[in-house]
Structures are given as C-alpha cells and as structure tokens.
Amino acid sequence: MFKYRLNPININSYMEFGSIRGGKNGNIRNTYAVKFGGASEGAENEINDLLKYLSKDMREGKIYYKYIDSLHINSDCMSIKTAYENFENTGHIDILKTNISESELVGAIKEIENLLHKYKKNLTDTIQKNIMVKLLYWLCENFSDVKIDGDRNIKVVAKNIDKESEIYFFVFLNLLGMDVCLLQYSKDTDILKDYFYTKRIGDYIEDNLVLKPYEIPESTKSKDIKKQIPTAQNEEGRVRISLASTRRKDRDNKAIKTEASAANSNISNTGGAAKTAVSSAGTNMPRSGIKTDRELSYIELAKLSTSIVMIAIYDNRQKMLGTGSGIMIGKDGFILTNNHVIRGGYYFEVRIEDDERIYKTDEVIKYNQYLDLAIIRIPRVLSPLRLFDGREKLVRGQNVVAIGSPLGLFNSVSDGIISGFRNIDNVDMIQFSAPISPGSSGGAVLNMFGEVIGISTAGFSEGQNINLAVPYDAIYGFAKSFIR
C-alpha cells in the first residue's frame, strides 16, 4: 500500500501541473492538489494547451487523464449505500474490486471521514453517510474503467467547483493517489482551502471559456479500419499477444501477420462461461426489458441494423482516413465505437440506414484507450440497441450475430458462435466466429434476443474468423451515463 505526500513542491502554472510526475521513494509517492484562481488574458489558450498535453500523454500511455465536466446522481445509490453501511459495520468495502485494492480505498475513506469531523460543522452520522455515498457513487461513475494504483499517474482536471460535497470528492481522489487540478477561473470557495496549493492567476471572469477537454490526435494513415492483433515470439518460442502494442502503432493499410493458435498462445482462456470483464461500478446492471420467450430469426435480427451506423473519419484537410462502425447507445445522439476507429480523426461523418442525411460531428464525448472504447455524438434522436443485462452467463457455443460495415459495405450481417473468453493485457474479451473485416470495428455483436453482448474490436489477420469483442459489462461500466 502506498503512502502519499501532498504538494512537495509548489505548482505555479497550468503546464507545470501537466508535466509534473509524482516521484516514488519506496512506498511513498508524491501527489498534487492544485487550484488556479482567476484567469489571465490568455487563459483559454493556456488551459487548452494543458488539456491537449494531457490528452497526448494519455494516448502515449504515460498517464491516465480525466476531465470531469459535472457531477450528478442518476440513481437511488442503493448498492453504494449498502456497501458503505457494510463498511461502517465491518471495516470492509466491496466496490471497484477489480480497479483498486480494498486497503487503498478504506484508507482514503477513513481520511475523508477525519476531514469531515474536523471541518464540517454540525456533522451527524446521517450527513456523513450521505456525503460518503455521494463520493463513492461519483468514484464508481467516473473511474470504473481505470486501474487505480500507485504505479499509474492519474491526472484529474475540473473547473469552477464550489459545492461542498464536490470539493470533498476531489480531495478524495487525491487521497487515492491522483493529481487534481481545479481551474477556478470564475469562482472559488474556502472549503478545505488549506488542503490545496492555490495559485492566483488573475481576476475572476465569467464562465464562458471554450475548453476542449480531449484533443483528437493528428491524422494517421489508414483506409478501412480494423485493429489487428500483433504477435511476437518470446524466448521459449511461445506466442505472446498484446493489444497495447497495437494501440501504440499508427494505423496503416498493411495487415499485421499473426501466428497464434489455441495450442501455443498464452492468452488467458477463462473457460466455458464468461468471466466478469469490468466491475459494473458497484451497481447492478439494469434489466434490458427484452422479451426472452423466444429467440429472434436472422431476418428479425438483421432489421436491428437501423441502430448500427457507419463512421467515416476525416483529417483536417477533409481527406477520408478510413471507415468504421458504431452502435447507437443513447437516444440523445450518443454512439459507441472503438477508440482506434476515431483515433486520428479531425471530424467524422455518420451514416444511418434508411436516412439519406449524413451527420457531421467533431464531438468526442469520452474515450478509453485501454478498453478501446469511445463515444461520439450527433445532432439526432436515435433508436439505441438494448445492452445485455447479464441475467445469465455467456457460454461457448452460443449463437451470435455481428453487424458492421466491413470494407465500407454498409451494415453487413454475419452469424457465428462464441468461441471462447480471453484475457489480453488484463482486458477481458469475447472471442467469436462471426466473420468481420476491416471496417467492422465498432459494430455490434448480438445475442439471439437482439441484445448487445459486445462491440467488435479486433481480429487476427491470419486465422479464419478469430475475432474479439469488448463485452457488455465493460461497455456498461464505460457508457452507463449515456445509455437511455
């Protein structure tokens, strides 16, 4: 378990916060909690330079970066309340088990409780419980898709935070080892003011700066997009397979050869039933509402292609870089795809079946390079597909249907089975046999009731119908705030 030393040096500029890395000495790691008050004349450009820098470092795998635009409560938090009550009674807590050690989380909870007792006036057990449930809920909502440990530098940025519980939340994140930067250019608060190192930049201004939280990378060189799994031989001659090395490479037109087989691959095989890929953030997945009294025919399943889109990716010179697929997940214009599909794009054009209009957007809502997931948004009301609710385990041999746009062939439908369950670079994957090709990435893998059980993500360039999908529970953990 790491111990954290707060603000060992003063941070006096935005870029200093971006470039500083908390050094480690044994089990002690430096962390930073910084507030920048007010704004200078060039604040908008300077802040966007910071956000661009952090985005670049995250793409290169140097850090994990999170911009938190707002904090809301979208459920009754019953599972979080139960978890916190259990902590009060036993000293143990059972949320985010795959993302953070219990000892780290318990330690941070106790420190926050100490701060509440020290600074919160008229604190009662009920008030403390309500605040702690909020903090744990927000932690699950925003960090269920990232490993929180002392080995990874996590940078968190937010703006103009003045609500008491929200201030405590960002302190909570710092106690978990994250570096926190609050851009208080419009307003500030004295809540826990001694905890943060505060640098006054200038006068307070109106909250009208145009910030770009996640920079879209410069263009790369590809046509039809499908992530191929690279392989390499280790010293014993066994095949080592890695998704991370794919993410570090620019896309191009050359297929990466693979020589993997079940006999010599050291990909973890979890057996006949699916293993949970990502904790669903301490909450139960909502029921899909799909009728399960009978399986749909292939003709009926093919009709669901109206909720699958084709995405064309363009650079800043209006040159098309490639095509991929996407899944409607939120009626308010939210489309799920792969991070490697949109990576390199300056803007995107989205085509929907039975709709002659082409929807142009540069709105990237969220992305995660480790799960290889991203969400874009278009100005249209959508008919989202239902996400499988995990009511029963997926099994090998189960029939599936894949819908996507391979090689730009809009919304092609293919069928196959679940071939296995793999773990690659600590990411759980569904292996399936339904044929896909470059351009299919971001498409839907459906069960026979028409529910999304995965998103087509990767395939082996040599090896017939050996394809991988990020599973439904990882999708839910990543996108649940947008599923409507």
Side-chain angles (χ1 to χ4, degrees):
M1 178 176 175
F2 278 95
K3 295 180 181 179
Y4 299 103
R5 180 169 51 200
L6 179 62
N7 294 331
I9 64 172
N10 294 337
I11 303 295
N12 293 307
S13 71
Y14 303 125
M15 287 306 295
E16 271 190 69
F17 174 81
S19 60
I20 195 75
R21 299 287 181 269
K24 292 187 294 184
N25 183 7
N27 68 336
I28 298 176
R29 177 164 189 159
N30 298 331
T31 64
Y32 298 88
V34 183
K35 288 200 297 186
F36 292 103
S40 62
E41 185 176 342
E44 183 174 301
N45 289 335
E46 292 170 3
I47 293 173
N48 280 322
D49 284 345
L50 166 66
L51 304 183
K52 180 178 179 181
Y53 180 87
L54 293 174
S55 295
K56 177 177 178 292
D57 271 10
M58 186 166 83
R59 289 198 315 274
E60 294 174 353
K62 297 176 181 178
I63 63 169
Y64 181 85
Y65 152 59
K66 184 82 172 184
Y67 181 89
I68 297 179
D69 185 55
S70 59
L71 293 167
H72 301 289
I73 301 291
N74 298 317
S75 78
D76 60 9
C77 303
M78 283 307 299
S79 61
I80 302 294
K81 290 176 183 176
T82 301
Y84 184 68
E85 288 169 357
N86 181 65
F87 166 75
E88 289 181 307
N89 294 327
T90 67
H92 296 283
I93 192 159
D94 60 355
I95 63 171
L96 291 180
K97 283 185 175 179
T98 62
N99 300 69
I100 185 172
S101 72
E102 184 183 26
S103 60
E104 291 275 354
L105 185 54
V106 166
I109 291 172
K110 289 180 177 179
E111 287 292 334
I112 283 289
E113 289 177 338
N114 290 337
L115 289 172
L116 285 170
H117 283 281
K118 183 176 180 180
Y119 293 105
K120 175 71 175 171
K121 294 180 179 179
N122 303 317
L123 182 68
T124 65
D125 290 344
T126 300
I127 292 174
Q128 176 176 303
K129 178 180 176 180
N130 289 340
I131 292 175
M132 292 308 305
V133 168
K134 276 187 179 181
L135 305 194
L136 292 169
Y137 176 88
W138 288 332
L139 179 68
C140 293
E141 281 288 301
N142 289 281
F143 293 94
S144 63
D145 54 359
V146 61
K147 188 78 172 176
I148 303 170
D149 57 42
D151 287 328
R152 175 180 294 177
N153 188 217
I154 301 175
K155 299 279 191 182
V156 180
V157 180
K159 66 172 185 176
N160 299 323
I161 304 299
D162 63 348
K163 294 180 181 177
E164 183 179 47
S165 57
E166 294 182 357
I167 291 289
Y168 275 96
F169 175 63
F170 288 102
V171 171
F172 186 42
L173 297 183
N174 181 256
L175 291 169
L176 289 169
M178 305 183 201
D179 294 337
V180 173
C181 174
L182 301 184
L183 305 168
Q184 304 293 100
Y185 58 81
S186 179
K187 54 189 173 182
D188 201 1
T189 176
D190 288 335
I191 300 168
L192 294 180
K193 66 177 183 178
D194 294 336
Y195 188 90
F196 294 85
Y197 173 74
T198 300
K199 175 66 176 179
R200 186 67 180 262
I201 300 294
D203 295 331
Y204 292 104
I205 61 174
E206 293 184 9
D207 186 6
N208 57 8
L209 298 186
V210 179
L211 303 186
K212 301 174 182 178
Y214 297 102
E215 180 231 10
I216 301 173
E218 292 300 317
S219 63
T220 51
K221 302 175 181 179
S222 113
K223 296 298 178 186
D224 294 297
I225 303 166
K226 176 186 177 186
K227 181 165 63 174
Q228 305 292 347
I229 307 296
T231 65
Q233 297 282 342
N234 64 17
E235 292 179 358
E236 299 175 353
R238 297 180 63 189
V239 174
R240 172 172 48 81
I241 298 181
S242 170
L243 291 180
S245 57
T246 300
R247 295 177 181 135
R248 288 192 295 267
K249 295 177 181 294
D250 286 338
R251 301 187 303 255
D252 59 29
N253 291 327
K254 299 177 182 178
I256 302 171
K257 295 185 177 181
T258 63
E259 301 173 356
S261 70
N264 66 0
S265 172
N266 70 346
I267 301 177
S268 170
N269 183 353
T270 61
K275 167 184 169 184
T276 298
V278 169
S279 162
S280 54
T283 60
N284 293 324
M285 290 183 62
R287 293 300 179 189
S288 69
I290 290 284
K291 292 183 178 180
T292 57
D293 54 339
R294 72 172 183 89
E295 294 185 348
L296 302 180
S297 68
Y298 288 114
I299 293 174
E300 290 172 310
L301 289 167
K303 291 179 180 179
L304 298 177
S305 62
T306 53
S307 295
I308 313 296
V309 307
M310 183 167 74
I311 303 171
I313 298 87
Y314 290 84
D315 66 13
N316 58 1
R317 294 171 293 180
Q318 301 183 348
K319 177 183 178 182
M320 189 173 78
L321 304 174
T323 61
S325 304
I327 306 169
M328 298 180 188
I329 59 163
K331 66 180 182 180
D332 297 325
F334 297 111
I335 295 170
L336 178 74
T337 186
N338 290 133
N339 181 55
H340 79 265
V341 167
I342 66 164
R343 186 180 62 214
Y346 188 76
Y347 70 91
F348 317 102
E349 288 186 350
V350 175
R351 294 175 182 267
I352 299 173
E353 195 167 303
D354 298 329
D355 186 342
E356 294 183 357
R357 180 178 172 185
I358 297 175
Y359 296 88
K360 183 176 178 180
T361 183
D362 61 359
E363 195 172 357
V364 179
I365 302 298
K366 183 178 183 180
Y367 71 92
N368 183 301
Q369 62 179 344
Y370 304 102
L371 292 176
D372 195 21
L373 297 175
I375 295 171
I376 64 173
R377 190 178 191 182
I378 62 172
R380 184 188 192 273
V381 176
L382 303 179
S383 299
L385 290 175
R386 300 290 184 90
L387 189 64
F388 179 59
D389 57 19
R391 59 186 172 271
E392 58 189 18
K393 288 185 176 180
L394 304 179
V395 295
R396 283 186 293 186
Q398 180 175 336
N399 289 330
V400 297
V401 165
I403 304 177
S405 299
L407 302 173
L409 300 173
F410 192 23
N411 279 356
S412 299
V413 181
S414 61
D415 70 299
I417 62 171
I418 292 178
S419 307
F421 303 96
R422 312 296 173 189
N423 184 281
I424 305 175
D425 290 350
N426 295 317
V427 177
D428 288 330
M429 294 278 186
I430 299 170
Q431 181 189 333
F432 66 100
S433 66
I436 63 173
S437 297
S440 297
S441 288
V445 181
L446 307 175
N447 64 13
M448 299 306 288
F449 300 108
E451 298 165 297
V452 176
I453 64 168
I455 179 171
S456 299
T457 296
F460 295 84
S461 58
E462 292 187 4
Q464 202 164 10
N465 300 333
I466 304 175
N467 304 304
L468 298 172
V470 175
Y472 65 93
D473 45 359
I475 293 172
Y476 179 73
F478 173 76
K480 60 187 173 183
S481 299
F482 308 97
I483 297 172
R484 299 285 187 273

